[in-house]
Amino acid sequence: MKRVVIKVGSHVLNEAGEVSKERMLALVELVAQVQKSGKDVIVVSSGAVSSGYSKLKLDKSLIRNKQALAAIGQPLLLKMYQDKFERFGMLCSQVLLSASDFDSRKRTKHAKAAIEVLLANKVVPIINENDVTATEELVFGDNDRLSAHTTYHFDADMLVILSDIDAYYDKDPREHSDARAFKRHSFIDQELLEQTCKPSSEFATGGIVTKLQSAQFLLKRDKSMFLASGFDLTDVKSFLLEGVQKGGTLFSV
Ligand code: ADP
């Protein structure tokens, strides 16, 4: 594996209405270790809305307010990332994209050209949806789909989704105590994909269904996806750094 996209959801970065410095530092440390092991790393990060909300308490049930909060929070979020990456002697960068950028070959090509320069210079691209002009992931998806497109179009081998859940289960583990985690999964049931998505908190949107959609998108294109906990990075570390899968779910053909 040469290039990996690591996506961190808003649940993971968010702690009591603010971006958790501790968790962001743990994520940045992981990125630094993966990069040191010789892989290119692209980060897709949520957290702009919660970052903005820590400064201005607007009603988040309104999309236009969420957009405004993202506009306030995005530079704050990046400043936090910059500070953390600096501790590891690394540079990071901001890349704001939307799904429609991937609809246009020309725009995808332009974005990829910039990403290649960043990666060649060991600069970590931090991608987020441009929430002021595109609201798709803000409403539904929490960057799950954006990260799948990022993986495919920027030639990564794998997408790693760091979530508030440590694996994909045969049923929702929060509602069923007997739910069993899948270690590997190679086929996504169409019925599951058509389920209505239940947002599981005021910050996150989409839940497990958008993750399955991303997995299906990538499986069809010969890419793989690894879903693991973003709270405890033990599983993702052993998977990415030692090539050993202890926990998490690997979606792969
Ligand atoms: P993120 O951490 O990326 O923001 P979400 O909270 O949006 O993730 O989605 C993950 C949630 O989906 C889990 O916390 C869990 O409650 C729910 N979920 C529903 N069905 C399943 C399942 N079969 N396996 C795992 N999680 C599931």
Side-chain angles (χ1 to χ4, degrees), residues 157-173:
D157 308 284
M158 175 178 276
L159 167 63
V160 171
I161 292 194
L162 298 178
S163 175
D164 64 353
I165 198 79
D166 59 354
Y168 173 51
Y169 289 76
D170 59 353
K171 48 196 159 193
D172 189 346

mmCIF file of all heavy atoms in Angstrom, residues 157-173:
data_model
loop_
_atom_site.group_PDB
_atom_site.id
_atom_site.type_symbol
_atom_site.label_atom_id
_atom_site.label_comp_id
_atom_site.label_asym_id
_atom_site.label_seq_id
_atom_site.Cartn_x
_atom_site.Cartn_y
_atom_site.Cartn_z
ATOM 1 N N ASP A 157 -4.866 3.717 -2.189
ATOM 2 C CA ASP A 157 -5.198 2.291 -2.233
ATOM 3 C C ASP A 157 -6.329 1.974 -1.278
ATOM 4 O O ASP A 157 -7.078 1.031 -1.465
ATOM 5 C CB ASP A 157 -3.975 1.449 -1.831
ATOM 6 C CG ASP A 157 -2.771 1.841 -2.636
ATOM 7 O OD1 ASP A 157 -2.711 1.448 -3.798
ATOM 8 O OD2 ASP A 157 -1.908 2.582 -2.111
ATOM 9 N N MET A 158 -6.395 2.768 -0.221
ATOM 10 C CA MET A 158 -7.346 2.416 0.826
ATOM 11 C C MET A 158 -7.883 3.652 1.554
ATOM 12 O O MET A 158 -7.187 4.648 1.711
ATOM 13 C CB MET A 158 -6.622 1.530 1.849
ATOM 14 C CG MET A 158 -7.459 1.202 3.052
ATOM 15 S SD MET A 158 -6.614 0.130 4.181
ATOM 16 C CE MET A 158 -6.968 -1.424 3.451
ATOM 17 N N LEU A 159 -9.143 3.526 1.968
ATOM 18 C CA LEU A 159 -9.747 4.550 2.834
ATOM 19 C C LEU A 159 -9.858 3.971 4.244
ATOM 20 O O LEU A 159 -10.356 2.857 4.429
ATOM 21 C CB LEU A 159 -11.149 4.911 2.314
ATOM 22 C CG LEU A 159 -12.040 5.731 3.251
ATOM 23 C CD1 LEU A 159 -11.428 7.109 3.534
ATOM 24 C CD2 LEU A 159 -13.449 5.915 2.651
ATOM 25 N N VAL A 160 -9.387 4.723 5.220
ATOM 26 C CA VAL A 160 -9.548 4.319 6.615
ATOM 27 C C VAL A 160 -10.545 5.277 7.254
ATOM 28 O O VAL A 160 -10.321 6.494 7.260
ATOM 29 C CB VAL A 160 -8.191 4.379 7.368
ATOM 30 C CG1 VAL A 160 -8.390 4.171 8.857
ATOM 31 C CG2 VAL A 160 -7.233 3.340 6.804
ATOM 32 N N ILE A 161 -11.653 4.745 7.739
ATOM 33 C CA ILE A 161 -12.643 5.603 8.389
ATOM 34 C C ILE A 161 -12.523 5.416 9.894
ATOM 35 O O ILE A 161 -12.700 4.303 10.420
ATOM 36 C CB ILE A 161 -14.078 5.282 7.905
ATOM 37 C CG1 ILE A 161 -14.233 5.682 6.429
ATOM 38 C CG2 ILE A 161 -15.116 6.011 8.764
ATOM 39 C CD1 ILE A 161 -15.666 5.738 5.915
ATOM 40 N N LEU A 162 -12.196 6.491 10.582
ATOM 41 C CA LEU A 162 -12.113 6.437 12.037
ATOM 42 C C LEU A 162 -13.431 6.970 12.594
ATOM 43 O O LEU A 162 -13.766 8.139 12.420
ATOM 44 C CB LEU A 162 -10.928 7.264 12.535
ATOM 45 C CG LEU A 162 -9.565 6.766 12.030
ATOM 46 C CD1 LEU A 162 -8.446 7.659 12.531
ATOM 47 C CD2 LEU A 162 -9.334 5.317 12.460
ATOM 48 N N SER A 163 -14.147 6.092 13.252
ATOM 49 C CA SER A 163 -15.524 6.394 13.625
ATOM 50 C C SER A 163 -15.734 6.296 15.128
ATOM 51 O O SER A 163 -14.831 5.955 15.890
ATOM 52 C CB SER A 163 -16.431 5.390 12.896
ATOM 53 O OG SER A 163 -17.765 5.537 13.275
ATOM 54 N N ASP A 164 -16.981 6.577 15.539
ATOM 55 C CA ASP A 164 -17.335 6.387 16.952
ATOM 56 C C ASP A 164 -17.687 4.920 17.216
ATOM 57 O O ASP A 164 -17.979 4.538 18.337
ATOM 58 C CB ASP A 164 -18.482 7.317 17.374
ATOM 59 C CG ASP A 164 -19.783 7.022 16.647
ATOM 60 O OD1 ASP A 164 -19.796 6.187 15.719
ATOM 61 O OD2 ASP A 164 -20.797 7.646 17.000
ATOM 62 N N ILE A 165 -17.647 4.126 16.142
ATOM 63 C CA ILE A 165 -17.895 2.695 16.303
ATOM 64 C C ILE A 165 -16.622 1.959 15.845
ATOM 65 O O ILE A 165 -15.926 2.427 14.955
ATOM 66 C CB ILE A 165 -19.156 2.255 15.510
ATOM 67 C CG1 ILE A 165 -19.681 0.921 15.988
ATOM 68 C CG2 ILE A 165 -18.946 2.245 14.011
ATOM 69 C CD1 ILE A 165 -20.494 1.015 17.254
ATOM 70 N N ASP A 166 -16.313 0.829 16.507
ATOM 71 C CA ASP A 166 -15.014 0.185 16.259
ATOM 72 C C ASP A 166 -15.019 -0.830 15.119
ATOM 73 O O ASP A 166 -13.967 -1.394 14.796
ATOM 74 C CB ASP A 166 -14.504 -0.467 17.549
ATOM 75 C CG ASP A 166 -15.484 -1.513 18.083
ATOM 76 O OD1 ASP A 166 -16.594 -1.647 17.526
ATOM 77 O OD2 ASP A 166 -15.123 -2.196 19.064
ATOM 78 N N ALA A 167 -16.207 -1.076 14.521
ATOM 79 C CA ALA A 167 -16.286 -2.052 13.419
ATOM 80 C C ALA A 167 -17.684 -1.992 12.823
ATOM 81 O O ALA A 167 -18.563 -1.299 13.349
ATOM 82 C CB ALA A 167 -16.022 -3.467 13.933
ATOM 83 N N TYR A 168 -17.878 -2.750 11.758
ATOM 84 C CA TYR A 168 -19.209 -2.914 11.187
ATOM 85 C C TYR A 168 -19.789 -4.207 11.764
ATOM 86 O O TYR A 168 -19.144 -5.249 11.745
ATOM 87 C CB TYR A 168 -19.120 -2.977 9.659
ATOM 88 C CG TYR A 168 -20.434 -3.312 8.992
ATOM 89 C CD1 TYR A 168 -21.596 -2.598 9.307
ATOM 90 C CD2 TYR A 168 -20.513 -4.335 8.056
ATOM 91 C CE1 TYR A 168 -22.796 -2.921 8.708
ATOM 92 C CE2 TYR A 168 -21.723 -4.649 7.450
ATOM 93 C CZ TYR A 168 -22.853 -3.936 7.785
ATOM 94 O OH TYR A 168 -24.052 -4.249 7.196
ATOM 95 N N TYR A 169 -20.993 -4.118 12.306
ATOM 96 C CA TYR A 169 -21.641 -5.254 12.977
ATOM 97 C C TYR A 169 -22.810 -5.794 12.150
ATOM 98 O O TYR A 169 -23.313 -5.109 11.251
ATOM 99 C CB TYR A 169 -22.159 -4.817 14.352
ATOM 100 C CG TYR A 169 -21.077 -4.558 15.371
ATOM 101 C CD1 TYR A 169 -20.311 -3.397 15.315
ATOM 102 C CD2 TYR A 169 -20.824 -5.458 16.405
ATOM 103 C CE1 TYR A 169 -19.305 -3.150 16.254
ATOM 104 C CE2 TYR A 169 -19.830 -5.217 17.351
ATOM 105 C CZ TYR A 169 -19.082 -4.064 17.262
ATOM 106 O OH TYR A 169 -18.095 -3.824 18.198
ATOM 107 N N ASP A 170 -23.275 -6.977 12.522
ATOM 108 C CA ASP A 170 -24.424 -7.547 11.797
ATOM 109 C C ASP A 170 -25.724 -6.822 12.139
ATOM 110 O O ASP A 170 -26.723 -6.958 11.453
ATOM 111 C CB ASP A 170 -24.539 -9.058 12.029
ATOM 112 C CG ASP A 170 -24.690 -9.431 13.491
ATOM 113 O OD1 ASP A 170 -24.578 -8.529 14.350
ATOM 114 O OD2 ASP A 170 -24.920 -10.624 13.775
ATOM 115 N N LYS A 171 -25.734 -6.053 13.223
ATOM 116 C CA LYS A 171 -26.832 -5.130 13.548
ATOM 117 C C LYS A 171 -26.276 -4.026 14.440
ATOM 118 O O LYS A 171 -25.136 -4.140 14.925
ATOM 119 C CB LYS A 171 -27.997 -5.867 14.222
ATOM 120 C CG LYS A 171 -27.616 -6.795 15.352
ATOM 121 C CD LYS A 171 -28.764 -7.744 15.675
ATOM 122 C CE LYS A 171 -28.203 -8.953 16.402
ATOM 123 N NZ LYS A 171 -29.064 -10.073 16.522
ATOM 124 N N ASP A 172 -27.069 -2.971 14.634
ATOM 125 C CA ASP A 172 -26.554 -1.830 15.393
ATOM 126 C C ASP A 172 -26.183 -2.257 16.822
ATOM 127 O O ASP A 172 -27.045 -2.632 17.617
ATOM 128 C CB ASP A 172 -27.627 -0.718 15.438
ATOM 129 C CG ASP A 172 -27.074 0.579 16.034
ATOM 130 O OD1 ASP A 172 -25.984 0.550 16.634
ATOM 131 O OD2 ASP A 172 -27.744 1.622 15.889
ATOM 132 N N PRO A 173 -24.898 -2.213 17.165
ATOM 133 C CA PRO A 173 -24.472 -2.676 18.492
ATOM 134 C C PRO A 173 -24.998 -1.801 19.639
ATOM 135 O O PRO A 173 -25.002 -2.234 20.784
ATOM 136 C CB PRO A 173 -22.946 -2.628 18.415
ATOM 137 C CG PRO A 173 -22.641 -1.702 17.301
ATOM 138 C CD PRO A 173 -23.774 -1.775 16.335
#
